């Protein structure tokens, strides 16, 4: 196995239980595993030696919720200034034209942006399977992740409740439940690797309470537990979702989860904004995790997660960028800054520090994914997943007083180097394994083709400009 030696770091921020730091420290890695951290490590004969003088080393950020396919529907004019249900209805008309190559290219772009912002492990929730298109779409995301070099946790999503059955999505992008369950089994059996330093784990992820049936939720839970894989879904994201569940099912969204077996240590939800006091207490008691996606929630005006109440109740809280269409970015460092500012505003300036936000995006996310034995901190025996920033960059001048908070509070949200499993995948701010410009051109052409196809087929003239609240702007 190849060896890696990082020496003379300005600081190593471990984010271990004690938040230990090693100013001027070094690190020795064999294969994927960190073998030593500290001082006076005699490892100059390593295969790769990195002189990290002037650089701060951080544990890799962990993204617990994303929709990579949405990378091709960023900055679409007519889905700005709308809330979740209207946003989804408009975008379904575009997503129904996804092709396998679109899924691959959008994953390369999204995962590449994640790596360049310090992310080393990313989950993804893929649930759109248009009629007449190959069902093996998650395979395209997996291909992209392997090529780009990120640790990946795709979850096989699903929608079975189309509009003809009272759901929100159009029938053209939902699947029969037997097809969903059969392909979920295929994905798990083909790709899931539960080993400690796995580069690929798989989860089961029906989309949301308004797009799947109770039967699919129950059968998906049974299937996931029979294979020993984790479970993920959207929950309590908007008040519209709560109203839908009350009207259609006669219960709150979390009650639906309890009734269908979607509660336990092996479950994590995305968003979790509208939980009440009793539900937050239950979340802490049962071990469920929640992915906090602040930028998406702010953009969609969905609300603000009660993060302090959750942390006090012992809820496992991780971090996520959410889909690029509701964020317009896949930049975890940028979202960490937004998270810190949001909760300063909501809970006061002493509630959640920048260091606390970093802990949630590392240790917290690792716990949500059930992977804390290998990722989430820089410690002997864990994976060599990390990012570095060069403190000699102009934007850090005058800010070198708190190494842990530095990339969250100051500078541009990009990193100088990212290492995953001991392998350098970003160097000098550039992706190592792909030609960025070539993929950017291919991806933009594919996105334009998908949007043009959607406009040709839809009956709504989305190209017409829509002026909102013009009176207050004149």
């Amino acid at each position: 196995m190849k060896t890696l030696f990082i020496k003379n770091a300005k600081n190593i921020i471990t984010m271990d239980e004690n938040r230990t730091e090693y100013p001027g420290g070094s690190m020795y890695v064999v294969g994927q595993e960190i073998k030593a951290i500290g001082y006076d490590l005699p490892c100059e004969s390593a295969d790769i030696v990195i002189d990290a003088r002037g650089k701060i080393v951080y544990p890799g950020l962990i993204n617990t919720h994303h929709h990579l396919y949405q990378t091709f529907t960023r900055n679409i004019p007519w889905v700005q200034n709308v809330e979740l249900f209207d946003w989804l209805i408009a975008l379904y008309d575009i997503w129904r034209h996804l092709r396998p190559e679109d899924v691959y290219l959008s994953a390369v772009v999204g995962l590449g942006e994640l790596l360049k912002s310090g992310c080393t492990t990313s989950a993804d929730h893929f649930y759109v399977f248009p009629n007449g298109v190959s069902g093996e779409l998650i395979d395209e995301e997996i291909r992209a992740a392997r090529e780009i070099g990120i640790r990946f946790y795709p979850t096989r999503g699903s929608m079975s409740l189309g509009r003809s059955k009272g759901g929100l999505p159009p029938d053209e992008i939902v699947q029969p439940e037997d097809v969903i369950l059969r392909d979920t089994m295929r994905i798990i059996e083909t790709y899931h690797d539960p080993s400690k330093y796995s580069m690929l784990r798989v989860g089961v992820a029906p989309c949301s309470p308004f797009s799947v049936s109770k039967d699919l939720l129950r059968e998906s839970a049974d299937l996931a537990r029979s294979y020993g894989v984790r479970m993920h879904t959207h929950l309590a994201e908007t008040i519209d979702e709560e109203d839908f569940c009350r009207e259609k099912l006669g219960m709150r969204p979390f009650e639906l989860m309890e009734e269908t077996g979607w509660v336990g240590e092996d479950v994590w939800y995305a968003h979790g904004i509208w939980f009440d006091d009793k539900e937050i207490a239950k979340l802490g008691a049962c071990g469920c995790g929640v992915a906090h996606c602040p930028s998406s929630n702010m953009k969609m005006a969905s609300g603000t997660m009660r993060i302090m109440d959750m942390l006090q109740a012992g809820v496992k809280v991780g971090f996520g960028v959410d889909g690029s269409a509701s964020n317009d970015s896949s930049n975890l460092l940028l979202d960490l800054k937004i998270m810190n500012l949001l909760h300063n505003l909501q809970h006061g300036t002493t509630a959640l520090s920048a260091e606390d936000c970093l802990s949630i995006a590392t240790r917290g996310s690792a716990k949500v994914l059930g992977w804390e034995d290998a990722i989430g901190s820089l410690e002997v025996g864990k994976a060599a997943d990390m990012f570095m920033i060069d403190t000699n960059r102009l934007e850090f001048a005058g800010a070198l007083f708190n190494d842990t908070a530095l990339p969250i509070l100051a500078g541009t949200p990009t990193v100088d180097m990212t290492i995953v499993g001991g392998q350098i995948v970003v160097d000098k701010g550039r992706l190592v394994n792909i030609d960025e410009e070539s993929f950017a051109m291919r991806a933009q052409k594919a996105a334009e083709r998908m949007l043009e196809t959607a406009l040709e087929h839809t009956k709504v003239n989305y190209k017409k400009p829509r002026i909102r609240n013009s009176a207050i702007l004149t």
Side-chain angles (χ1 to χ4, degrees), residues 61 117-118 331-337 387 407-408 412-415:
L61 306 178
S117 64
N331 191 310
L332 273 187
L333 270 182
L334 177 60
D335 267 42
L336 274 178
K337 184 181 186 76
F387 70 91
I408 300 169
T412 54
T414 58
V415 306

Side-chain angles (χ1 to χ4, degrees), residues 54-263:
K55 296 181 174 63
I56 304 175
V57 184
Y58 301 85
L61 306 178
I62 301 168
N63 179 31
T64 60
H65 185 64
H66 207 332
H67 307 294
L68 288 164
Y69 75 89
Q70 292 182 12
T71 305
F72 281 5
T73 44
R74 295 188 283 183
N75 192 28
I76 302 292
W78 56 84
V79 292
Q80 309 304 316
N81 310 112
V82 294
E83 295 183 4
L84 181 65
F85 276 23
D86 289 337
W87 176 86
L88 281 170
I89 290 168
L91 285 174
Y92 285 145
D93 285 335
I94 304 174
W95 296 338
R96 70 175 66 185
H97 300 288
L98 274 171
R99 298 175 181 173
E101 183 73 359
D102 300 328
V103 176
Y104 166 72
L105 290 171
S106 61
V108 169
V109 173
L111 294 172
E113 188 177 2
L114 287 169
L115 286 174
K116 292 176 70 169
S117 64
C119 178
T120 53
T121 299
S122 183
D124 189 66
H125 187 184
F126 188 93
Y127 57 85
V128 174
F129 294 86
N131 291 353
V133 177
S134 166
E136 297 182 1
L137 295 180
I138 292 181
D139 306 64
E140 296 297 318
E141 293 191 323
I142 291 170
R143 175 163 71 103
R146 285 175 169 169
E147 290 179 6
I148 208 165
I150 196 168
R151 203 178 298 277
F152 197 36
Y153 207 131
T155 59
R156 206 297 183 181
S158 55
M159 296 193 294
S160 65
L161 198 65
R163 289 176 192 164
S164 64
K165 296 181 180 179
L168 190 69
D171 291 348
E172 292 85 352
I173 56 174
V174 303
Q175 292 180 298
E177 294 184 357
D178 61 332
V179 172
I180 291 167
L181 295 169
R182 189 165 57 248
D183 191 58
T184 302
M185 293 171 63
R186 178 189 69 83
I187 292 288
I188 296 169
E189 292 175 0
T190 304
Y191 295 112
H192 181 63
D193 176 4
S195 65
K196 180 177 179 179
Y197 300 118
S198 167
M199 291 295 291
L200 182 64
R201 291 186 178 180
V202 173
V204 177
C207 183
S208 64
F210 49 82
S211 59
V212 298
S213 69
K214 282 186 180 181
D215 286 344
L216 182 61
L217 283 168
R218 291 192 187 94
E219 292 188 53
S220 294
D222 290 343
L223 187 154
R225 290 182 172 128
S226 72
Y227 281 97
V229 301
R230 298 178 82 78
M231 301 150 59
H232 181 49
T233 191
H234 296 95
L235 199 71
E237 181 177 2
T238 66
I239 196 67
D240 286 341
E241 175 194 317
E242 183 175 318
D243 292 343
F244 179 94
C245 288
R246 287 185 182 279
E247 179 183 342
K248 301 287 185 180
L249 305 171
M251 62 181 71
R252 290 173 56 80
F254 188 72
E255 292 175 317
L256 173 64
M257 296 296 104
E258 291 181 299
E259 183 177 301
T260 54
W262 274 77
V263 173

